[in-house]
Structures are given as C-alpha cells and as structure tokens.
C-alpha cells in the first residue's frame, strides 16, 4: 500500500540521488536545464593500501548527465574529495561507482533512462542525447554498452519467453547510408499483464534478416515454445 503521508520536500530523494550514494547540496536552474550540485555521502577517507587515515587534498568536479526531471535535462555536478595518506603517501578520490560506472558521463539513473527511452519509448538517439544534455556519441556509446552489459550478465533472459516483438531502429545516418539496429523485446509480461516489456537483445542490421539470424542462434526447444 502506498504511504499517503507527506514528507518535507527533499531534492535528494526527489531526484533519486540517494540511490546513487549522493546528496544534493545546491541547485541552479538554467533556461534549458537544471544543474544539481552534489556531494558523495560516504567520506571514504581511509587509505586503501595501508588503512591509515587520509588528509583532504582538494576536490574535483565530476559532471554526469542524469535522468531528465519534468522533461528538463538534469546535470549533476558531483564534488569528489581527494585524499593523501599520511603514512604511505597513496593518493585517491572518493569512490563514485555507486553514482556512475568508471569514466562514464551518465549517472546510473541517466543511463537506465536512456536505455528505456530508446528501446521502450522509441525515442531517437538524438532525442535521448538532447534530453540528457550530452553529445550524440556519448548517448549512443553509453546505451549500446549498457544494452550489451545487461544482456550478457543475464544468461536466463530467454527463459519463459513466449511472445517476442522485433523493432527496427535507424541507429545512425551516415554518408554511406543508414545503419540499423534491430531490437528484440520480450512481450510476455505485457501480454500476461505482469509487467512492462523488456529488452532481450540488440543486433546490428535490418529487422528481417537480423531476426532470422538471431533466431537461428537460439536452440530448437526455445523456438518451439515461442512464436
Ligand atoms: Zn596508506
């Protein structure tokens, strides 16, 4: 049951920053986007090499595209502390892997939003990039990598699938012609009324040939129970 009481307005929870190990410390509303200043909640100030306490050595800002809130791009400016170990001189930064993958330009929420926007809501990569206030290549690379990571890490993703949908996207317009990606979606939960459609696979190429090749790679028992 949904809790019907109201709490105090809380930007950290509203923007789901608590899930990322972050806390909002400020906001800046610009005409075309909102910027949220954040800090990392875990102080992470013990040396990873020798366990001695570290002393602060300034901060760096990590910029992350976050999920758009109210259709407005939301960018995070995360202040990350640097430390130096008093004992062994090791230097490190606060761990931000809960907020984003190493070197990523999108927060984990932003990345999930991008993938769903593209696969479920059929937004173009250009529109996804615009909504996140990042470059086209940034959105494209992030979504492709995340799509593969999610799929490769789930060997049971084909279990209990009875209804699939195939969807062709123009992935990229190039001078030599358009590039296509065929997205294969599990429609079983939608049809059974148990949940939303989910991403099964992404293959390069146009839907008919790509799907034929993809299906040939599945085993016979799986093909028999799916249609
Ligand atoms: Zn140390």
């Amino acid at each position: 049951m949904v809790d019907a009481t109201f709490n105090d307005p809380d930007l950290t929870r509203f923007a789901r920053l608590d899930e990322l190990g972050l806390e909002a410390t400020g906001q800046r509303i610009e005409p075309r986007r909102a910027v949220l200043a954040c800090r990392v909640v875990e102080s992470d100030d013990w040396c990873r090499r020798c366990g001695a306490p570290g002393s602060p050595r300034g901060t760096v800002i990590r910029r992350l595209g976050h999920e758009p809130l109210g259709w407005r791009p939301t960018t995070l400016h995360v202040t990350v502390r640097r430390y130096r170990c008093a004992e062994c001189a090791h230097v490190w930064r606060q761990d931000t892997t809960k907020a984003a993958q190493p070197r990523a330009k999108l927060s984990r929420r932003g990345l999930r939003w991008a993938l769903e926007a593209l696969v479920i809501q059929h937004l173009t990569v250009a529109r996804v990039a615009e909504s996140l206030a990042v470059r086209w290549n940034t959105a494209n690379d992030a979504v492709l990598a995340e799509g593969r990571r999610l799929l490769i890490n789930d060997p049971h993703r084909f279990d209990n699938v009875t209804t699939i949908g195939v969807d062709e996207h123009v992935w990229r317009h190039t001078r030599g012609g358009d590039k296509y990606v065929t997205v294969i979606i599990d429609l079983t939960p939608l049809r059974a009324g148990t949940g939303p459609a989910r991403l099964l696979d992404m293959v390069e190429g146009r839907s008919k040939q790509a799907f034929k090749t993809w299906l040939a790679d599945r085993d016979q028992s799986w093909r028999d129970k799916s249609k």
Side-chain angles (χ1 to χ4, degrees):
M1 191 174 150
V2 177
D3 185 359
T5 58
F6 288 97
N7 304 114
D8 289 336
D10 179 346
L11 191 53
T12 296
R13 287 189 62 201
F14 184 83
R16 293 198 266 214
L17 300 174
D18 48 339
E19 295 172 18
L20 303 180
L22 303 176
E23 187 177 68
T25 56
Q27 66 176 41
R28 189 171 73 224
I29 308 297
E30 298 176 358
R32 301 178 70 115
R33 64 168 188 168
V35 182
L36 300 180
C38 308
R39 69 177 198 90
V40 183
V41 174
E42 282 288 327
S43 59
D44 194 18
D45 55 352
W46 297 91
C47 179
R48 279 155 216 186
R49 281 202 191 140
C50 74
S55 47
R57 277 288 184 277
T59 58
V60 288
I61 302 287
R62 186 171 182 195
R63 288 172 178 78
L64 295 169
H66 193 46
E67 61 182 328
L69 299 165
W71 288 96
R72 177 165 59 192
T74 304
T75 305
L76 308 179
H77 283 193
V78 183
T79 299
V80 183
R81 273 197 221 122
R82 298 172 73 240
Y83 295 102
R84 187 171 182 277
C85 177
E87 295 293 323
C88 76
H90 179 55
V91 176
W92 70 97
R93 289 176 183 187
Q94 272 176 304
D95 182 16
T96 52
T97 50
K98 209 175 165 191
Q101 288 163 13
R103 288 176 299 282
K105 295 196 172 83
L106 300 178
S107 74
R108 292 187 185 275
R109 281 295 326 168
L111 187 55
R112 175 45 72 114
W113 184 90
L115 194 62
E116 288 179 0
L118 195 95
V119 172
I120 317 273
Q121 311 293 335
H122 299 251
L123 267 60
T124 61
V125 176
R127 186 74 187 81
V128 169
E130 191 189 330
S131 300
L132 296 169
V134 297
R135 287 168 52 238
W136 191 96
N137 280 321
T138 302
N140 186 63
D141 295 350
V143 167
L144 271 182
E146 179 67 357
R148 290 194 190 112
R149 188 188 69 83
L150 281 177
L151 296 168
I152 290 160
N153 285 351
D154 182 11
H156 299 294
R157 69 189 188 273
F158 299 124
D159 296 356
N160 304 316
V161 173
T162 61
T163 312
I164 53 180
V166 178
D167 207 358
E168 180 180 283
H169 292 260
V170 176
W171 199 262
R172 182 164 212 178
H173 301 285
T174 67
R175 247 173 288 168
D178 292 337
K179 282 213 164 117
Y180 290 87
V181 151
T182 293
V183 171
I184 295 155
I185 298 168
D186 176 16
L187 297 172
T188 313
L190 205 64
R191 191 166 272 200
T194 54
R198 71 195 177 103
L199 178 67
L200 273 184
D201 220 337
M202 300 168 99
V203 275
E204 275 186 58
R206 302 203 64 161
S207 58
K208 207 171 164 194
Q209 189 55 46
F211 182 60
K212 234 173 117 181
T213 312
W214 181 84
L215 201 58
D217 288 341
R218 308 276 77 78
D219 62 37
Q220 187 63 47
S221 64
W222 190 85
R223 271 178 283 166
D224 287 345
K225 67 182 177 160
S226 308
K227 54 185 185 300

